Amino acid sequence: MNASQSSRHRRVGDSPAIKWLLIVTAVAVAIALLIMPLLVIFVEALGAGWGTLADNLTDQYTLHAIGLTLFVAALTVPLNLVFGTALAWLVTRFRFPGRKLLITLIDIPFAVSPVVAGLLYLLLYGRNGWVGSWLADYDMQLMFSWPGIVMVTVFVTCPFVARELIPLMQQQGSEEEEAGVVLGASGWRIFRTITLPNIKWALIYGVVLTNARAVGEFGAVSVVSGNIRGQTNTLPLHVELLYQDYNIVGAFASASLLAGIAVFTLAVKGFVEWRQTRTLNRLQTEETA
Amino acid sequence: MPSKLKGLFTGLALSASLFAQPAVSADRELLNTSYDIARELFAAYNVHFNQYWEEKTGETLEVSQSHAGSSKQAQAIIQGLKADVATFNQVTDIDILHARGGLIPENWAERLPNNSSPYYSTMAFLVRKGNPKNIQNWDDLIKEDVALVMPNPKTSGNGRYTYLAALGYAQDRFGDDQNKIDSFLQDFLAHVKVFDSGGRGATTTFIEREIGDVLLTFESEVLNLADRYDNGEYEVVTPKVSFLAEFPVTWIDEYVKQNKTEDLAKAYLEHLYSEDAQRLLAGFNYRVHNETVKQETSDRFPEVKLLPIDVIAGSWENATKEHFASGGKLDQLQRRR
């Protein structure tokens, strides 16, 4: 049916010349904008040999930056995993006033520039902020130390898990869970034996995205970090610092680590996506059956 | 499951203590907040000062450094970054620690010699190999085929200094003749091919993108660049008249009280004026006050008539209002082009 339609209405890209032109353009753009910069990172990092690369990566401050970045991600990911799952569960399994508004609010971190987000936290939790001045009376400080970095990272990455789960859970519907309720299962048991297996791959996908963003976040962290080397300098901030010192090899060495994490993330993401499509296809065949 | 969770939290707590806290192995700590390109300078000074302090008091020190644009640093200190000392490249950024933060007294600049500026610099030119356009002074910049690269005075302190240096030259040469001063500045701005947002951006434009005949920026930066490319690819030109760019320092009274570091913070800054430290600063291409070091480095830092801000524009506040504010002199001169 499709074939006969397209033979009557010719589409853009049907002629071989245009088809090849489009393919070549797309490939050229991908190479120029995506692949070349990625290659440059590794080429520059290795520019002075493996020894220099190793020296730069084992520098005391670089090691600390790596550790801090992983630590922040290790706190951010579980927090957003729980938050995102609970939120997706709430908005797809229950009807209540303000539900649509809540779904919209989830996207705020996507809509707000990270730098602005950082500033908002600073104005709220800084020494002169509403909450910050109150905390300062108890000698507690969140900004310019690791709790502040974790806070903004959680903010910036909080939509990823929920955004992955909501469409899937909406599509799956709640029949299976309702059956569980009728059969007298507890809420926790329903979640563990029905919901969780169904959303597993979407959940992992959300976690992968959250982790990638948490590791690479620059703007918001830059505002609240205080940039203290060896204390509050995360890996992306460390790259900037090295670059400003004209330590190009060092900067690219650290950048290559971030790029390495990104490439690894892509691989995991590809695998999870493939699994997820299989789950969705299975669901659809079950529905039609 | 609970035992696994327990393990996870123990692991997290452990890594928190490893990575989120400073590694305290020294008797005392000090936090120095500074501008973005001063990291190597203070890394070197810290080694020097640690040694001096240990010899003097027997205490070991851990001096932490924080570096970013000095306006951003001032903002962070006001919002609670508990730095013991601030070592900035703009007087106005220390002023707001008093005006908006109430963290230091108004007369902070009088507490240390030379306006609390242990070292200083000025604005200079970097030209390409052999100085093909024969640039010697400010009036050579407005010759017909000369293209300039400088940071934007609207967005960077560096650019403001350059603009004020040009203004200072024009005042010095034309005296009270406001029309001639304006027309020189207008010509000067018309020759700027690229206004970059910051100092490092302008450097990249000139060196990497090979745009322009003259790069205008701090003398310290210009000398660093000439050192970096020591095959004579670039040459340094210091004009006869220029702007006195101060690098002010202060201890932050409110926080040194809380951190109990008042004696240490003061000593850290006062020691910047010692002969050894001044020699170290000169090694990073800054001009210093110590007479002996001045003699030693006189070939590197030629005699320049340096005009302070009071002479050129009265005060920083005036300069901002009259020249850099929206609709100010800078805007007018660029519009008339």
Side-chain angles (χ1 to χ4, degrees), chain A residues 114-196:
Chain A
V115 177
V116 175
L119 277 175
L120 294 178
Y121 271 73
L122 202 54
L123 291 180
L124 194 56
Y125 296 102
R127 192 180 67 106
N128 298 334
W130 298 342
V131 185
S133 54
W134 178 75
L135 285 174
D137 292 341
Y138 297 91
D139 206 21
M140 273 168 64
Q141 188 175 1
L142 297 175
M143 296 293 109
F144 311 112
S145 56
W146 66 266
I149 299 177
V150 173
M151 281 162 75
V152 294
T153 311
V154 167
F155 175 84
V156 170
T157 57
C158 78
F160 285 105
V161 170
R163 271 282 148 230
E164 282 308 313
L165 291 185
I166 290 171
L168 180 74
M169 289 173 78
Q170 262 166 354
Q171 198 180 359
Q172 283 175 340
S174 52
E175 287 90 352
E176 289 181 33
E177 280 131 358
E178 279 159 15
V181 173
V182 170
L183 292 173
S186 68
W188 170 243
R189 184 150 179 226
I190 293 174
F191 178 76
R192 214 161 37 102
T193 54
I194 303 174
T195 315
L196 198 56

Side-chain angles (χ1 to χ4, degrees), chain B residues 41 119-122 218-227 279-288 300-301:
Chain B
L41 165 71
Y119 54 99
Y120 60 103
S121 190
T122 183
F218 283 116
E219 181 188 52
S220 50
E221 178 86 352
V222 165
L223 288 169
N224 282 342
L225 288 169
D227 285 350
R279 192 169 288 119
L280 187 140
L281 290 162
F284 283 88
N285 293 320
Y286 290 108
R287 289 174 182 245
V288 294
R300 203 163 176 74
F301 301 109

Side-chain angles (χ1 to χ4, degrees), chain A residues 63-64 67-68 71 74-75 122-123 126-129 141 144 146 222 226-229 231 241 244-246, chain B residues 12 16 19-22 31 36 39-40 64-67 72 76 78-82 101 103 200 221 228 255:
Chain A
L63 282 181
H64 184 277
L68 178 63
F71 171 70
L75 280 179
L122 202 54
L123 291 180
R127 192 180 67 106
N128 298 334
Q141 188 175 1
F144 311 112
W146 66 266
S222 159
N227 302 76
I228 310 170
R229 205 168 50 126
Q231 288 182 33
L241 185 147
Q244 274 172 340
D245 278 354
Y246 289 120
Chain B
L12 278 177
F19 297 115
Q21 304 299 325
L31 174 57
D36 38 13
R39 200 185 67 73
E40 284 173 350
S64 300
Q65 294 171 253
S66 161
H67 295 276
K72 185 179 162 193
I78 291 172
Q79 288 295 348
L81 177 61
K82 297 219 167 105
L103 297 166
R200 280 285 146 100
E221 178 86 352
R228 200 168 296 270
Y255 296 150

Side-chain angles (χ1 to χ4, degrees), chain B residues 195-248:
Chain B
F195 280 115
D196 271 292
S197 62
R200 280 285 146 100
T203 302
T204 311
T205 302
F206 185 75
I207 305 244
E208 309 283 338
R209 292 169 60 202
E210 297 183 7
I211 292 174
D213 304 302
V214 187
L215 170 69
L216 293 93
T217 185
F218 283 116
E219 181 188 52
S220 50
E221 178 86 352
V222 165
L223 288 169
N224 282 342
L225 288 169
D227 285 350
R228 200 168 296 270
Y229 302 88
D230 52 5
N231 51 0
E233 212 173 316
Y234 303 99
E235 291 174 22
V236 177
V237 177
T238 315
K240 311 286 174 293
V241 178
S242 195
F243 180 69
L244 170 67
E246 294 183 303
F247 288 70

Side-chain angles (χ1 to χ4, degrees), chain B residues 308-337:
Chain B
I309 185 72
D310 325 12
V311 171
I312 296 176
S315 68
W316 274 111
E317 206 184 334
N318 269 351
T320 311
K321 223 187 296 168
E322 197 184 326
H323 293 277
F324 306 120
S326 184
K329 196 115 213 178
L330 175 66
D331 282 346
Q332 294 168 24
L333 291 171
Q334 282 186 291
R335 210 173 297 139
R336 260 191 269 165
R337 223 193 283 170

